[in-house]
Amino acid sequence: MEFNKADAPPRETTDRPRRTRDPDQTRRDLIDAAIAEFSEKGFSGGRVDDIAARTRTTKRMIYYYFGSKERLYAAVLEELYGGMRNAEQALPLARLPPLLALQRLVETTFDHHAAHPEFVRLVSVENIHEARNVAASPEIIKRNAAVIGTLRDLVARGENEGAFRPGLDALDLHMLISSFCFYRVSNRHTLAAIFGRDPLAPESVAAHRRMIVEAVLRYVAPG
Amino acid sequence: MEFNKADAPPRETTDRPRRTRDPDQTRRDLIDAAIAEFSEKGFSGGRVDDIAARTRTTKRMIYYYFGSKERLYAAVLEELYGGMRNAEQALPLARLPPLLALQRLVETTFDHHAAHPEFVRLVSVENIHEARNVAASPEIIKRNAAVIGTLRDLVARGENEGAFRPGLDALDLHMLISSFCFYRVSNRHTLAAIFGRDPLAPESVAAHRRMIVEAVLRYVAPG
DNA sequence: TAGTGTACGTACCATGGAGTTCAATAAGGC
DNA sequence: GCCTTATTGAACTCCATGGTACGTACACTA
């Protein structure tokens, strides 16, 4: 009666037969669960017990693999920042005419933020904590700072070819692009509450995408 | 020995003689302390004991005046959102030519965000919590939604006078303006960590202010 | 100048939640 | 088969923290 293994699995979160002894999978599951938890509730609001409960394993594993709540959070950040850089570096900007390259960059930035609200939320959380974990991760810094190099090249090329007006600052331009893409996701809930229109609703997405492209292209145009 | 009142005050947090029985001041002090605490640490990260420790009064008073940590947080939000609307409604936009009015609006928005990082941080915190407290406050919603009305009028006037191109959406335009002003403050720390340049440093402020004005004016220009 | 309600302080409670203990079980080498 | 080591689980510990019980002091009124 107690150990009825035959006709029903004794206890299973999902119906997938749980793979015993799969450290990689266990680690992966914990990271995914932590991404969800921390991006929904923040660092202090996120609960270690709840993260464990989102997986098929137990809290013990968090401490086995990561050592502390803080270090799990740091691992989550590295993971998410990693995804961002990949998207941007996959673009063949150097082979496109400057205006088109810039348009592609804006669209990619827009799409990535739209597709990864957890990333946006975690960056918000990290800023509340004064970016202590980002500052402590040379890996995150190096990869992300590289994005600016690419944009700097593009700006220089655009100026030389006369497609862009002179005097543009690559970092400021990066901020102009990111700010809108980030804001409509990060501030989605206050915007929806105050103005009664969800900025992530399908009818807004296309309009916003066109808008930020248009705004940036007009901003860099000569004259 | 025990009640030595004469030659030394028995216990004093600051050297200012504590005003007994000043409910308004006590309440005010608690709100100010809570603004600082919550904007530095978030809602879950903020400690009721620490808020009390920032004042000359005690934790008991938080519960006396506000009832709970949650309601204190809600009071803080109302307070900060209140400051924002005042700044915007003080502008005499209707009397200025459209382009100039828009420029003033952008500059005011920029300046207010720059001057009130606690506001920006609290709005970020609120978005992590899915804007539950903003959504529950008709007062906040009403006042802020009004801002859009003003902008809608301006957009209509600009279109009629031919100063703006047709087809502009007031809410989207508001988002374009706010996003940059908000982002450079909200994401100050990750930006500084990754790019090694503090967006709130004096040499960036003027450049950013010019940039968002320029970007918005170019965006609304006809043609 | 006693009475009363509002404002305040001290000491305490209850519990949620981060982190640990300790033993058990699987996998693989010999 | 047996030993070793990398994983795993249930049941703890313990303390920080939100919240409260209870008593006191001030200031105003009659």
Side-chain angles (χ1 to χ4, degrees), chain A residues 145-172:
Chain A
V147 172
I148 271 303
T150 312
L151 186 56
R152 220 185 298 275
D153 293 347
L154 177 57
V155 166
R157 192 158 60 90
E159 282 189 20
N160 287 338
E161 299 183 16
F164 301 168
R165 65 188 163 112
L168 295 173
D169 180 90
L171 181 48
D172 291 347

Side-chain angles (χ1 to χ4, degrees), chain A residues 132-186:
Chain A
R132 264 187 289 268
N133 291 280
V134 166
S137 169
E139 191 62 14
I140 292 179
I141 293 174
K142 202 191 333 164
R143 303 278 194 156
N144 278 72
V147 172
I148 271 303
T150 312
L151 186 56
R152 220 185 298 275
D153 293 347
L154 177 57
V155 166
R157 192 158 60 90
E159 282 189 20
N160 287 338
E161 299 183 16
F164 301 168
R165 65 188 163 112
L168 295 173
D169 180 90
L171 181 48
D172 291 347
L173 187 58
H174 169 77
M175 284 177 61
L176 180 63
I177 296 168
S178 298
S179 62
F180 184 78
C181 299
F182 192 96
Y183 180 83
R184 59 186 286 281
V185 178
S186 70

